[in-house]
Amino acid sequence: MGIGDLLWLFFVLTALQPVIKQRLLESSRQQLIAKIERRRGSRVILLVHRQETMSLLGFPLMRYIDINDAEDVMRACALTDPEVPLDIVLHTPGGLVLASLQIARAIRQRKGRVTVFVPHYAMSGGTLIALAADEIVLSPHAVLGPVDPQLGQYPAASLLKVVARKPIAEIDDQTLVLADVAEKALAQLREAAKELLERTRPPEKAAELADLLATGTWTHDYPITYDKAQRLGLPVRADMPAEIMELMGLFPQPMRRQPAVEYLPERRSIGGTKKGQAP
């Protein structure tokens, strides 16, 4: 074999390496999902959005909940007997209200128990989905977020406040139209959140929580921690199974030219020794 053939083989193997690595990760995830399903007697559904990098141009592409996600989750629900428990792993910044509500309503109507696991964060539309579950399991520093609607770059609640504070003659037509849409969006999201919360909460408590979460009480990126969620009365637990965190490790972020975080991936004990080793 000549030098030209070796170079050609090198380039082929280099080009195939990401594909092979991806296939190995997918296989590992499938095996771990099957293991969790056998142990818990459930259907496991993952909704995980990582920031991805376009392979050709190298620019970041943010993922969010879209109609394709809704179709996939609804299909998974349809393939699962109504009495079979659902375990849903959420890791998402949110996304389309329509898609999030389709997923949330699909799991709210389940007869079997629905548990949502949030290893790191499930904001906005992700929280909307979590509200439909019987139980939300958060890792120690995981967060949920408000579900108030956003109209482009503007929070709907803030648009209404601007219109209420200024004379009508000083407000342009576009802002008035946006305010009208904002009023409708707030009412719709509040009603939807109440509907979802009624799976686990009495109507009065569900209405109170929906008003807090959907009407602009906080900024849209406000982190609702386990303690805060517990005080609000959400059905949360903090005993995240180790298998769920292991599963998240099989969804690595795309490699960047220079990693921002680096450490030795080994458990450390007091005194700086590795677990299972003598000092």
Side-chain angles (χ1 to χ4, degrees), residues 9 27 36 45-47 106 112 114 136 182 188 194 202 206 245-246 254 278:
L9 181 61
S27 176
I36 296 171
I45 302 174
L46 281 76
L47 184 55
V114 179
I136 305 168
Q188 290 166 191
K194 177 178 177 293
M245 300 306 294
E246 183 182 350

Side-chain angles (χ1 to χ4, degrees), residues 148-160 162 174-175 178 182 220:
D148 56 306
Q150 310 293 295
L151 300 182
Q153 60 181 320
Y154 302 116
S158 298
L159 281 167
L160 288 182
V162 166
Q174 182 178 4
T175 303
L178 285 173
H220 195 60

